[in-house]
Amino acid sequence: MVTIQSTVDTGHEDMIHDAQMDFYGTRLATCSSDRMVKIFDVKDGTQTLAAELRGHEGPVWQVAWAHPRYGNILASCGYDRRVIIWQEGGGQWSKIYEYTNHDSSVNSVSWAPHELGLILVCGSSDGAISVLTYTSSTYQWDAEKINNAHTIGCNSVSWCQAVTGGKRFVSGGCDSLVKIWKEGEDGHFTEESKLEAHSDWVRDTAWAPSLGPAKQVIASCGQDRRVVIWTCKDGGAWIPKVLKTFEDVVWHVSWSVSGNILAVSGGDNQVTLWKETLDEQWVCISDVQKGAGAQG
C-alpha cells in the first residue's frame, strides 16, 4: 500500500501542475497557474520556502532539475510560450537563459543524461520540438528546432537514459503518436521511429532508466485512458503492450529511479504503482487515492 508521507502547503494561489524533487531529494520545485515557480528546502519531513521565481506571464506547466554536476539549475516552461532556465548562485536564484522561439504553449521540458552535456528538450503546442544545448566554451545556448514534429501539438518529451546509443528522446503528441528522435552524424535530430497504439492525444511519455543496452522501455499514456508499455530488445522493433485501460484520462506516467516500478496518475484522482513480473506481465502492486490537500 502506498501511504502519503507528507503534504506540502505550497502557498500557490492556483492549481499546481508539476512538482519535482532534485537529485538529492532535498529540494522541491513546484509550478502553478499562478505564474509562479517555487523552491522548497525539504528536511526531516518539513518543507521551507526557499525561493519564488517570477518570470512567466501565464500558467507554468512543468519544471525539471538539471544534474547537480552543473550546479543548481532548474528549467520551467509555460503557456506564455517561454522556456526559462534558472540558476542559483550565492543563495539567490536568477534567470540565466530564456527561450522564446515557440509560437504556442510549451508543455514539457526534459534534461538529457548529464554525460551528454547540459541539453534540454522542449515540446510545444505549435507542433515543434526544440533542443537547447549549452556550449561551455562560448557560454552560449544553441537551439535546434524540429518543426512539425507532431501535428496539432506536442504534449511531452523524455530523454533516453542510456548514453551508449547516442542522443535520443521520445515525444508524445495530439496526433496520437509516440515518436523517437535521434541525433544524426550531422548533429541534427531526425525521426527514428513512429509508434502507433493510442487512439487519442498522448498526454505523457517516460523513457525508463536504462535496464541495460539490450533492453529499452518507454511508457506512454493518453486521452484514450490507456497506458502502453513499449519494449525494444537488442535494437529490434518496438513492441507495444497495453498495461491497462483506465476509467478516466491518464495524465502522467513516471518511473522509479531503478526503472522497475511505474507510477500512473489520472483524472480518477488515483495513483497506481505497477511492476513487471518475471514472465513479463505487468501487475498493480498498490494504489493510493490523492486525498484532500494532496492535489496535483
Side-chain angles (χ1 to χ4, degrees):
M1 182 67 192
V2 179
T3 56
I4 296 176
Q5 195 172 6
S6 62
T7 58
V8 183
D9 183 4
T10 63
H12 278 295
E13 295 172 3
D14 208 330
M15 184 179 289
I16 298 167
H17 298 293
D18 197 17
Q20 296 289 336
M21 300 295 294
D22 72 351
F23 180 83
Y24 297 113
T26 58
R27 282 187 160 168
L28 174 70
T30 61
C31 61
S32 163
S33 281
D34 65 6
R35 309 179 180 189
M36 298 275 286
V37 175
K38 296 193 179 191
I39 311 286
F40 296 87
D41 290 324
V42 180
K43 190 177 180 182
D44 301 327
T46 62
Q47 300 85 22
T48 309
L49 180 64
E52 293 183 338
L53 310 183
R54 303 168 191 268
H56 285 283
E57 295 178 359
V60 189
W61 303 130
Q62 213 170 73
V63 286
W65 291 96
H67 191 274
R69 72 179 285 182
Y70 299 108
N72 291 324
I73 291 180
L74 183 76
S76 60
C77 63
Y79 183 74
D80 59 0
R81 311 189 296 275
R82 297 176 196 207
V83 177
I84 299 178
I85 298 175
W86 313 83
Q87 184 174 34
E88 184 192 39
Q92 295 293 316
W93 285 88
S94 59
K95 187 191 303 183
I96 60 169
Y97 182 68
E98 186 171 322
Y99 181 70
T100 56
N101 198 26
H102 281 289
D103 302 321
S104 191
S105 171
V106 183
N107 303 318
S108 183
V109 284
S110 175
W111 291 102
H114 66 88
E115 298 92 339
L116 300 176
L118 194 57
I119 308 171
L120 185 74
V121 63
C122 322
S124 169
S125 290
D126 64 7
I129 293 171
S130 292
V131 182
L132 312 179
T133 303
Y134 182 70
T135 306
S136 56
S137 59
T138 60
Y139 304 105
Q140 295 288 320
W141 289 88
D142 299 311
E144 177 186 355
K145 191 174 180 184
I146 307 166
N147 287 307
N148 302 312
H150 289 276
T151 53
I152 319 176
C154 176
N155 295 322
S156 70
V157 285
S158 176
W159 275 95
C160 173
Q161 298 302 305
V163 295
T164 49
K167 297 173 185 172
R168 290 197 295 169
F169 62 85
V170 62
S171 62
C174 302
D175 51 9
S176 309
L177 295 174
V178 173
K179 292 186 177 185
I180 294 169
W181 306 84
K182 185 173 183 178
E183 185 185 51
E185 293 181 6
D186 62 356
H188 296 294
F189 283 87
T190 55
E191 183 184 308
E192 182 184 60
S193 302
K194 184 187 294 182
L195 310 183
E196 301 182 56
H198 287 283
S199 59
D200 206 335
W201 288 20
V202 178
R203 284 293 180 183
D204 200 12
T205 50
W207 203 308
S210 186
L211 305 169
K215 183 180 181 182
Q216 291 293 326
V217 179
I218 292 170
S220 61
C221 66
Q223 206 74 26
D224 59 4
R225 302 180 286 120
R226 278 187 283 203
V227 172
V228 179
I229 307 293
W230 305 87
T231 306
C232 175
K233 293 182 179 178
D234 300 313
W238 288 90
I239 308 300
K241 178 181 281 188
V242 177
L243 179 86
K244 183 184 175 182
T245 301
F246 289 81
E247 296 295 311
D248 208 332
V249 55
V250 187
W251 292 104
H252 289 298
V253 282
S254 177
W255 293 99
S256 64
V257 175
S258 57
N260 63 339
I261 295 175
L262 180 71
V264 177
S265 64
D268 58 1
N269 228 31
Q270 300 276 338
V271 178
T272 52
L273 299 183
W274 299 79
K275 190 169 186 177
E276 189 178 23
T277 61
L278 292 174
D279 58 350
E280 299 189 344
Q281 298 300 310
W282 288 86
V283 294
C284 181
I285 56 174
S286 66
D287 59 82
V288 59
Q289 189 151 359
K290 297 187 200 172
Q295 195 179 5

